[in-house]
Amino acid sequence: MRQQHRLLPYVAGRSVRHRKTDYGTIILHWLFVAAFAVALLSGLRIATESPDRTWINLFDVFLPRDSVWTAHMQAAVVLVAVTLAYVVYVIRSGLGRRIQLDGVRLRGLFGRGQSRLSAINACLYWIFFVTMLALLASGGLLYFGLYSGYDVAMLHWVGTWVILLFAVLHVVTQYKSGGASQLLRIFRPAPLPAPPQQLDAVELLNLLVEQQAAHPIQPRYDPDIARATEPGAAPREKPRKAKSKNPTLQANAFVVAAAAAITGASFIVAADRMSGDHLQIHRINSQEAPTLDGDTSDRAWRSVKPFALIITTFQFDKSIKIGFDKFQVKIVDFKPFGQREGEILYFVFLTLINGCEVNRFFRFHL
């Protein structure tokens, strides 16, 4: 009997309908997957510098070797942009029901079948949202140096593995919900279905009036109606649909989401460039050339404002503290008299290691 039920669509000459997903969700989904993959691989390469995570070297063949920091930062910007786009897209497209976590969904956790899977999916989504927000926030704190201590670094590290665990559970729950067809729908784009219109009380009353006029309950003679139906009488005006009290911009949801993503990413890039320091090389004459004797009281060093390279300290764990409490550099250069080419650069690195000042001097001839 079960086999006959499975073969019934084919015997009747009907084809099984393939499930599809709106193209906006598909684009944002795969943009996120690609950006997170880049951030994960580059982040693991960065984490290999920690002495207690040498096991990551087992995957050395899969990890990038060049432009690791640049790739990690660029992937982070894309993740922020996709996050903004997804929030706007869900709100504009009316797809909030798929991630809504209300009392009905929570009670579904104790149910059976699809209601339970739907509730589990909603809970997983919100765990993912909170974890992703923590990842982006902790990454921003580490990058801008606002708080780059052990706690934030561990939050960033643990959040990464929570996202990976979510990916596995997400695939399993989707497969349980609809099998392979449910998984393959992320590869089958479709137009965004129109969201249901909100109930308008004025429009509802107009519909009731029209329905009552078309199908009166107790038809009876009315002089006013008789006059209105006489030949030559003015036609009755149809009730106008009430306009929404809160008109919104009627635009494609994905276009609005893309505009929000581009705006957010542009803001982050602009803030990064404006907050960055610029290293300046000061030109001096040959008489002001400093002496590399370990003393920074020379006139050339005193007239130069130091450039801070590292301000905060990075901790691998609570007991090991690696890095500089203060790391500044001063650079001056001059062109020797009588030489057409070549310049001499003088560097001094002002460093505090465990509260002790250590200065290093270098000279380079270009």
Side-chain angles (χ1 to χ4, degrees):
M1 188 68 181
R2 183 177 300 176
Q3 293 178 357
Q4 293 178 359
H5 177 70
R6 290 182 178 178
L7 296 176
L8 181 60
Y10 300 95
V11 174
R14 293 177 297 175
S15 60
V16 178
R17 183 180 179 182
H18 297 293
R19 297 182 179 181
K20 297 182 180 181
T21 302
D22 56 283
Y23 64 89
T25 300
I26 292 178
I27 294 175
L28 294 176
H29 176 274
W30 290 115
L31 279 177
F32 173 83
V33 171
F36 185 78
V38 174
L40 174 65
L41 296 178
S42 57
L44 289 177
R45 172 61 71 185
I46 296 172
T48 56
E49 300 297 329
S50 177
D52 59 340
R53 295 170 187 163
T54 55
W55 58 268
I56 303 178
N57 293 322
L58 297 175
F59 308 96
D60 183 76
V61 66
F62 303 104
L63 302 181
R65 299 179 180 272
D66 302 325
S67 303
V68 177
W69 281 97
T70 302
H72 196 71
M73 298 306 120
Q74 292 175 348
V77 173
V78 175
L79 288 176
V80 173
V82 172
T83 301
L84 293 175
Y86 184 77
V87 173
V88 175
Y89 185 73
V90 169
I91 295 175
R92 294 286 303 169
S93 61
L95 297 176
R97 177 61 183 171
R98 65 170 60 167
I99 60 173
Q100 185 176 358
L101 190 61
D102 51 10
V104 177
R105 278 274 174 84
L106 292 178
R107 286 192 294 270
L109 291 173
F110 305 97
R112 295 179 180 180
Q114 290 296 328
S115 61
R116 185 175 184 180
L117 287 175
S118 178
I120 294 175
N121 273 327
C123 293
L124 287 177
Y125 282 138
W126 281 102
I127 293 175
F128 167 76
F129 295 151
V130 173
T131 306
M132 197 65 212
L133 182 62
L135 266 179
L136 296 177
S138 59
L141 293 175
L142 292 171
Y143 178 74
F144 291 103
L146 300 177
Y147 185 78
S148 54
Y150 171 80
D151 296 334
V152 176
M154 282 302 300
L155 176 63
H156 201 71
W157 173 256
V158 174
T160 302
W161 297 106
V162 173
I163 296 296
L164 289 177
L165 179 60
F166 162 80
V168 176
L169 296 178
H170 179 62
V171 173
V172 173
T173 54
Q174 291 296 317
Y175 182 80
K176 290 287 186 180
S177 299
S181 178
Q182 179 70 12
L183 293 178
L184 294 176
R185 67 184 300 179
I186 199 63
F187 300 98
R188 301 180 182 132
L192 179 67
Q197 297 181 357
Q198 297 182 354
L199 180 63
D200 193 330
V202 177
E203 186 176 356
L204 179 60
L205 290 176
N206 291 332
L207 292 176
L208 291 176
V209 171
E210 292 178 358
Q211 185 178 7
Q212 186 176 4
H215 305 282
I217 300 176
Q218 295 180 354
R220 62 182 180 179
Y221 177 79
D222 192 336
D224 296 332
I225 297 178
R227 286 193 298 269
T229 57
E230 291 179 357
R236 183 181 178 183
E237 295 183 357
K238 295 182 179 180
R240 298 180 180 179
K241 292 184 179 181
K243 295 183 179 180
S244 176
K245 296 181 180 180
N246 298 318
T248 56
L249 177 63
Q250 299 299 324
N252 186 282
F254 184 75
V255 173
V256 178
I262 294 174
T263 303
S266 301
F267 176 78
I268 294 175
V269 174
D272 177 48
R273 292 187 177 182
M274 292 179 62
S275 62
D277 297 324
H278 300 280
L279 177 61
Q280 296 180 354
I281 301 177
H282 297 263
R283 176 62 59 88
I284 60 176
N285 54 46
S286 58
Q287 288 77 18
E288 295 178 341
T291 303
L292 305 183
D293 55 358
D295 188 9
T296 59
S297 62
D298 293 348
R299 180 180 178 182
W301 301 129
R302 287 186 285 107
S303 61
V304 176
K305 183 180 179 180
F307 172 76
L309 291 180
I310 300 177
I311 301 298
T312 56
T313 301
F314 180 80
Q315 295 177 321
F316 288 113
D317 53 41
K318 294 183 178 180
S319 59
I320 303 175
K321 187 176 181 180
I322 299 178
F324 301 105
D325 295 329
K326 191 174 182 181
F327 191 13
Q328 298 176 333
V329 61
K330 295 181 179 182
I331 305 177
V332 296
D333 77 323
F334 76 94
K335 189 173 184 177
F337 180 76
Q339 294 187 11
R340 295 182 178 180
E341 298 180 356
E343 296 182 6
I344 299 179
L345 296 178
Y346 292 89
F347 292 78
V348 57
F349 291 89
L350 312 175
T351 309
L352 285 176
I353 302 179
N354 296 328
C356 300
E357 182 177 353
V358 178
N359 300 328
R360 294 182 175 88
F361 296 83
F362 300 93
R363 172 180 172 178
F364 297 95
H365 185 272
L366 302 180

